[in-house]
Amino acid sequence: MRPRRGRPSLRKEVADEIKRHMLDNRMRPGDPLPTEAELCATLRASRSSVREAVKSLAALDIVEVRHGHGTYVGTLGLSALAESMTFRGLLSPGDAFRGYADLVDVRELFERGNAERIVGALTPGHLDRLDGLVAEMERHRAGGDAFLAADRAFHTLLVEPLGNDLISQLSQALWDSYAGVGPHLGLITAEDERHTVDVHRHLTDTAKAGDAAAFAAAVTDHYAPVRRRLAKARTAAGNGTSATVPCRRAARR
């Protein structure tokens, strides 16, 4: 007699069948999926199994449930990865700062490693837009949502001309995770915020000059203040003291 499948494995099996249906029918983001009743009939699965499978796929951005309208192929973004990395940064075992340090490492390596390609791909139009975003950050130097939005848009625009959707999504996921963990560690000061505006201006200037080496150095300079405060906080934690400041509403980068 065939062993009875547990609920998690049944949900995964139905989810895999839904994904196979999407592939077999060459579906694209935004295309409508069959109705719940049609999926039940096609997959020979119960309504509850289909609902659980769709819910698990929606959590991964593979499908999008529009209540009152139906289920569609999702954007296939990396929001789930960003959320996972953020939680990992907040829940690093044995070292409250390790997860954030890892994010700093990956972000710096990601942008510095692409420095030559980024500088070579940015057009005059892109550079003008980068100038505009730096000016926006300057106007909102005190911080807040407008500052963060301009910061995120700046780093998104840096990799946009590379024409690689995965790189763009990874850049945004890394930014979101970085901004999600930072407030809980209190590692950013007002001085760092001023430095953030200045270093973004320097990134733009080196890109305008077509100097990939200077651009890469500016990327390193971007994360230097946070690295210094991380090192100080970890040393203080090892000595049994606290080096963090009260949590801030949002992280700066």
Side-chain angles (χ1 to χ4, degrees):
M1 183 175 178
R2 187 177 179 180
R4 185 174 180 177
R5 293 172 297 190
R7 189 168 183 173
S9 62
L10 177 59
R11 179 183 61 192
K12 182 180 184 305
E13 184 175 326
V14 174
D16 287 343
E17 289 295 331
I18 294 173
K19 290 188 289 185
R20 187 172 294 113
H21 172 87
M22 293 161 60
L23 292 172
D24 290 345
N25 290 277
R26 300 181 181 276
M27 301 181 75
R28 308 295 299 170
D31 287 349
L33 284 167
T35 65
E36 184 178 276
E38 290 170 338
L39 286 173
C40 290
T42 301
L43 304 179
R44 298 181 181 178
S46 68
R47 188 176 296 268
S48 61
S49 295
V50 169
R51 285 179 177 173
E52 288 183 9
V54 167
K55 188 180 298 184
S56 68
L57 293 174
L60 298 173
D61 284 342
I62 293 175
V63 304
E64 177 188 359
V65 179
R66 302 176 191 173
H67 297 289
H69 296 279
T71 303
Y72 298 78
V73 179
T75 59
L76 308 179
L78 297 180
S79 59
L81 174 63
E83 187 167 346
S84 177
M85 288 193 298
T86 299
F87 192 68
R88 178 184 181 278
L90 296 173
L91 200 65
S92 297
D95 185 349
F97 305 104
R98 180 174 179 177
Y100 198 62
D102 288 347
L103 281 171
V104 173
D105 284 343
V106 174
R107 284 199 63 206
E108 181 179 337
L109 288 170
F110 186 81
E111 293 177 343
R112 197 177 66 210
N114 282 295
E116 188 170 344
R117 294 183 62 203
I118 289 171
V119 170
L122 288 168
T123 66
H126 288 117
L127 294 169
D128 286 344
R129 289 162 61 193
L130 289 174
D131 269 334
L133 289 168
V134 173
E136 183 72 8
M137 293 174 70
E138 180 70 52
R139 283 194 293 273
H140 300 281
R141 189 183 280 266
D145 291 342
F147 184 97
L148 290 173
D151 191 345
R152 188 179 192 273
F154 183 97
H155 287 270
T156 299
L157 183 57
L158 280 182
V159 298
E160 179 184 290
L162 298 181
N164 186 312
D165 189 54
L166 182 57
I167 287 179
S168 294
Q169 291 189 38
L170 281 171
S171 177
Q172 293 169 22
L174 288 168
W175 192 98
D176 291 341
S177 299
Y178 183 95
V181 177
H184 296 271
L185 300 182
L187 290 171
I188 310 300
T189 67
E191 181 181 352
D192 294 332
E193 292 169 0
R194 290 191 293 272
H195 177 270
T196 295
V197 177
D198 295 338
V199 78
H200 281 72
R201 183 179 294 109
H202 187 46
L203 283 167
T204 304
D205 289 343
T206 56
K208 285 180 177 179
D211 191 337
F215 180 90
V219 170
T220 297
D221 189 40
H222 185 321
Y223 300 103
V226 179
R227 286 189 180 283
R228 287 193 294 269
R229 289 179 64 79
L230 269 169
K232 182 179 179 181
R234 296 177 80 171
T235 299
N239 293 333
T241 59
S242 174
T244 60
V245 297
C247 289
R248 306 178 66 86
R249 181 175 178 271
R252 309 315 190 243
R253 341 174 0 191

